[in-house]
Amino acid sequence: MTIIENLNLTDKWDKTFPKSEKINHRKVTFHNRYGITLAADLYTPKETTGRFAAIAVCGPFGAVKEQAAGLYAQTIAERGFLTIAFDPSYTGESGGNPRHMASPDINTEDFQAAVDFLSVQENVDPEKIGIIGICGWGGLALNAAALDTRIKAAATSTMYDMSRVNANGYFDAEASADARYAKKAAMNTQRTADYKNGSYMPGGGVVDPLPEDAPFFVADYHDYYKTARGYHERSLNSNGGWNVIGCMSFMNQPILSYSNEIRSAVLIMHGEKAHSCYFSRDAYAAMIKNNLFADNKELLIIPNAVHTDLYDGGRKDAIPFDKLEQFFKEHLK
């Protein structure tokens, strides 16, 4: 028997985006197979009845559902879908302890648990379920699509491969056995200290104030997470960040090993100027290599867009919502 955690869910609209008058919104909860209860915002179009095609949205990595995921979910709901934006295990309003931990297995399971929830809703067609993963949740969305045959379409936006970046560093600058050994040694030293102290050391969120010599991608993150544009009080990236050892298991658990066995439709979207664009380009190439079902896969590079432009539009409407609507209507029909 699954024990449902009692979550402390806020009643106020505390999103980083305005509420649409075209949708109905309510909070919901569901549980994953590890017994962790997840919190989500559910969006449905007003004045529409019947059984919907449904989409679960999560990300970016270290964000909460009140940020980019909620914006995607609400906007897609305006276009006729039932959507949920959820907080992953151990973060935001979702359950799970200790806090601020990540896991390639549990976080993939979070997507599958969202599919569980959507599949049993009376107003959802269980044969028409898709997912959207933003930033680090893009890679996890591909992993979920490779595992869960109920997912009929998956889209990723400004994707990170969290296994690759943890193992190899940014831009693969630490892609050596010696560099990985040094990182693992440091984290295992931290594990000993954490166990001794009875608490976990936070790694720190996005740096603030922004150093004058900060790389562009750090400034890009600061512009979203540390300003009125995207700050949220429950967001790890806006505040204290993951635990130092919070993402350790991504280092030697690649999440995209079987992406070229995905049979369902996949749309990978990335900004041309994003520091992270290499993750999507390489993931797409690996996904279609020797894949007998490559015809329903697409890579969309958005001109002049940087990484966080696909979080909220970047003040220039960079998110191709028309394309997303077209993709899901085609593959969830």
Side-chain angles (χ1 to χ4, degrees):
M1 179 178 179
T2 301
I3 299 175
I4 305 298
E5 299 169 274
N6 291 320
L7 304 182
N8 183 22
L9 304 179
T10 183
D11 292 327
K12 65 180 181 179
W13 182 270
D14 60 349
K15 322 301 184 195
T16 59
F17 52 91
K19 185 176 181 180
S20 170
E21 296 303 318
K22 299 177 181 179
I23 57 94
N24 293 313
H25 162 268
R26 63 185 175 94
K27 289 284 183 73
V28 297
T29 61
F30 56 94
H31 65 273
N32 66 21
R33 66 187 171 94
Y34 294 103
I36 299 170
T37 301
L38 304 180
D41 288 296
L42 187 150
Y43 301 90
T44 53
K46 286 184 177 179
E47 302 177 1
T48 304
T49 58
R51 302 178 86 191
F52 293 96
I55 299 167
V57 190
C58 194
F61 201 79
V64 288
K65 64 188 181 302
E66 290 75 19
Q67 295 172 304
L71 173 63
Y72 273 68
Q74 178 175 260
T75 307
I76 295 296
E78 289 179 330
R79 294 163 182 253
F81 299 86
L82 182 149
T83 64
I84 58 171
F86 65 91
D87 285 329
S89 297
Y90 310 112
T91 64
E93 291 186 304
S94 287
N97 280 294
R99 306 302 290 170
H100 304 168
M101 291 292 187
S103 161
D105 180 22
I106 295 174
N107 294 149
T108 299
E109 164 63 20
D110 289 342
F111 258 132
Q112 294 193 264
V115 176
D116 292 341
F117 170 79
L118 292 173
S119 295
V120 300
Q121 302 308 302
E122 292 184 356
N123 59 345
V124 169
D125 185 334
E127 297 301 318
K128 299 179 180 179
I129 295 177
I131 60 174
I132 299 174
I134 308 166
C135 186
W137 281 84
L140 290 161
L142 291 184
N143 194 36
L147 185 61
D148 197 325
T149 58
R150 300 171 300 173
I151 297 171
K152 298 303 189 293
T156 71
S157 181
T158 199
M159 189 198 87
Y160 260 53
D161 176 348
M162 294 307 299
S163 293
R164 181 174 176 179
V165 74
N166 276 280
N168 296 343
Y170 284 99
F171 316 112
D172 295 330
E174 301 166 357
S176 72
D178 286 344
R180 279 188 288 275
Y181 184 87
K183 287 192 288 186
K184 288 183 282 189
M187 282 190 282
N188 283 306
T189 297
Q190 185 63 53
R191 287 182 69 109
T192 302
D194 288 345
Y195 197 87
K196 179 179 180 180
N197 295 331
S199 61
Y200 291 95
M201 177 69 71
V206 174
V207 61
D208 188 46
L210 185 69
E212 291 184 4
D213 61 348
F216 172 76
F217 74 93
V218 175
D220 188 27
Y221 283 133
H222 184 277
D223 187 48
Y224 181 79
Y225 286 110
K226 290 294 190 176
T227 71
R229 175 185 166 195
Y231 177 85
H232 197 278
E233 62 184 1
R234 288 191 295 275
S235 169
L236 280 69
N237 292 342
S238 289
N239 297 283
W242 298 96
N243 297 328
V244 171
I245 66 166
C247 303
M248 185 177 184
S249 58
F250 280 97
M251 288 193 68
N252 66 346
Q253 296 185 39
I255 57 176
L256 301 182
S257 298
Y258 297 100
S259 65
N260 69 340
E261 296 183 5
I262 297 174
R263 299 188 179 191
S264 56
V266 176
L267 170 65
I268 294 179
M269 311 185 305
H270 221 113
E272 176 192 21
K273 303 296 185 183
H275 71 277
S276 50
C277 193
Y278 68 100
F279 289 123
S280 283
R281 292 185 185 275
D282 290 354
Y284 175 75
M287 180 177 60
I288 65 171
K289 184 178 181 180
N290 299 323
N291 190 334
L292 299 177
F293 302 88
D295 289 346
N296 58 0
K297 312 295 189 291
E298 182 177 355
L299 173 65
L300 176 65
I301 301 298
I302 299 159
N304 299 315
V306 299
H307 186 84
T308 67
D309 284 345
L310 297 192
Y311 285 6
D312 63 351
R315 308 182 184 94
K316 52 190 175 186
D317 296 324
I319 303 171
F321 283 117
D322 289 345
K323 176 65 176 180
L324 281 169
E325 177 185 1
Q326 175 190 12
F327 170 75
F328 282 114
K329 283 185 174 178
E330 177 182 355
H331 295 290
L332 298 181
K333 62 185 177 181

